[in-house]
Amino acid sequence: MSILSGKRVLLGISAGIAAYKSVALVRLLIKHGADVRVVMTPASKEFVTPLTLSTLSKHPVLSEFSNTEQENPVWNNHVDLGLWADLFLIAPATANTLSKMSSGQCDNLLLATYLSAKCPTYVAPAMDLDMYQHLSTTANLEKLSSNGVTIIPAEEGELASGLVGYGRMAEPEHIVSYLSDHLLHNAPWYGKTVMITAGPTHEPIDPVRYIGNHSTGTMGYRLAEVAAQLGAEVILISGPTHLISDHPNIRTHRVITADDMMEVVKKNFQKADIAICSAAVADYKPVAASDIKLKKSDKPLELILVKNPDILAWCGEQKKKQYLIGFALETHNALTYAKAKLQNKNCDLIVLNSLRDTGAGFGTTTNQVTLIDKQLSAFPLELKDKSIVAQEICEFILKQKHD
Ligand code: CTP
């Protein structure tokens, strides 16, 4: 999964020959999971057609202030476009467009959108080498940069004029990796390590049977993805589940039993800035697993169970800098038990699931949780998809933990 996944990217295209590369750029951004909309300057339509771009982006492409072709013309709202975007990328950005952006001119929809946008703006200049080196262009780029616009440098190579030098728009692959690196380095958890336990544990009875529970690990995996999207290096310690995570920032350790999970947690906890224990760890295990399959007989089967290590409680005892989050799954007296768990296990936050709530808990794609902070204040969240719940939990942690 890419850091661009789920990001709303507004692509601005101005009138340069490099506009033909915008087609590949749209495809690549979409491949990285971005939702892409396109705004063009009127002249850029000479280089690439809106139909190609709207087909690829699956959104209408806008280039005029109003749609005069319709019987009842509608205003194309540049303010909404600017507010919709998580980031605005202008590629190619011609010398003319850069100059107008730097002086605040606003004679087309792309420029009006730039002036309205509140999101970070990136420009990928594209022009002939002498235009790129011209003092006016250099001054415009410097001014834009000091206004907070990020410049994706032009590259060296053969130009449309036949001359060779700097001025080519960066290749679409380079633009996308530049954006990804920039977003990652500016993400709020860049440089932080987040350790997450997820899924059930299986406690063997014999080689074919185990004690387990209904946890699928979905909540933990969703949390891992959100933490990675926020720039963290994630150590995901997962019990047996069919889930996989393909985000480059997530390192998954697969374990079976609570003892295995404890061992991996012990090796990684000190590295963590944030530790989230979302695993449904089996509280008990058979005192000794049989090496051979137990054969059935007419007598009742007695299993002696002994307690597993409490991983969250261990983290609570060891913690120094770590912000520690525990989960509580309750069927009754939920708030009282959850608050006690927060105090007994020395957590900074408890995420409470109540099995009484429809749509919450094991095996559902949705969840409804209440967050309980160190002051024992309770913040109920609404029933939502587990990815959204994961985002809201991480946003809550971000607000609480500032360093
Ligand atoms: N937990 C853990 N190791 C265990 C048991 C639980 O790390 N052996 C963690 C879970 O990951 C979760 C929290 O403790 O974050 C709550 O687990 P839960 O089983 O609900 O609570 P318990 O403390 O075991 O208490 P009880 O079963 O009495 O509710």
Side-chain angles (χ1 to χ4, degrees), residues 195 197 258 261-262 265-266 269-270 275-279 281-283 307-320 322 324-328 340-350:
M195 187 197 82
T197 68
M261 190 174 270
M262 181 79 256
V265 166
K266 280 185 176 168
F269 184 67
Q270 293 311 332
I276 307 179
C277 289
S278 67
V281 184
D283 286 326
K307 261 190 113 174
N308 264 327
D310 190 323
I311 298 168
L312 177 62
W314 181 89
C315 295
E317 280 160 22
Q318 301 294 319
K319 87 173 180 154
K320 295 185 184 91
Q322 289 84 0
L324 182 62
I325 298 111
F327 272 62
K341 223 161 263 183
L342 181 134
Q343 289 174 318
N344 297 340
K345 300 197 189 189
N346 194 22
C347 297
D348 298 286
L349 186 72
I350 282 276

Side-chain angles (χ1 to χ4, degrees), residues 169-184:
M169 184 177 87
E171 290 301 321
E173 292 77 9
H174 299 170
I175 293 180
V176 169
S177 70
Y178 191 100
L179 282 180
S180 306
D181 285 352
H182 196 266
L183 287 173
L184 188 64

Side-chain angles (χ1 to χ4, degrees), residues 46 55-56 66 125 131 174 181 190 207 249 347 355 372 395:
E46 301 283 331
T55 308
L56 290 175
S66 64
M131 295 168 83
H174 299 170
D181 285 352
Y190 180 71
N249 280 19
C347 297
L355 268 189
I372 300 165
E395 276 161 22

